[in-house]
Amino acid sequence: MKTYQPISCSFYDELEARATTRQPCTLTYRLEPDTPPSTYQGIISDLFIKDKVEYLRLQEGFELRLDALVAVDDKELRNYC
């Protein structure tokens, strides 16, 4: 497994806002470099840390490392510092 790369605090705030308001969102993510991105829709129920790696969990139980995220809805991670 690759070394975790923390995401920007501003983007983390976007995720927290969606979790707080229970707003449905579309996650775009890439599990491996140089592969096409995948999408998943749901409501973020939790943001948590496990073994020094940040994750999100959707209500349905889907979990994703935050450094795999490409975008949430129309907000792209690369546009945040």
Side-chain angles (χ1 to χ4, degrees):
M1 177 110 9
K2 69 177 185 168
T3 302
Y4 179 70
Q5 298 296 315
I7 66 169
S8 77
C9 292
S10 298
F11 196 78
Y12 191 91
D13 291 345
E14 292 283 345
L15 298 174
E16 280 187 322
R18 283 169 172 73
T20 300
T21 61
R22 307 186 76 62
Q23 174 182 349
C25 58
T26 300
L27 305 174
T28 303
Y29 62 95
R30 184 176 284 122
L31 297 178
E32 295 294 329
D34 303 321
T35 61
S38 299
T39 59
Y40 200 97
Q41 294 182 334
I43 297 173
I44 299 171
S45 64
D46 194 17
L47 296 165
F48 64 97
I49 298 172
K50 178 179 165 185
D51 299 326
K52 300 181 182 179
V53 176
E54 297 172 301
Y55 291 86
L56 64 75
R57 180 181 299 123
L58 299 182
Q59 283 183 338
E60 306 82 30
F62 177 78
E63 292 183 359
L64 183 67
R65 277 174 54 139
L66 296 189
D67 62 350
L69 282 170
V70 174
V72 175
D73 295 329
D74 61 343
K75 311 275 187 183
E76 289 189 33
L77 179 57
R78 68 181 175 164
N79 295 330
Y80 286 78
C81 305

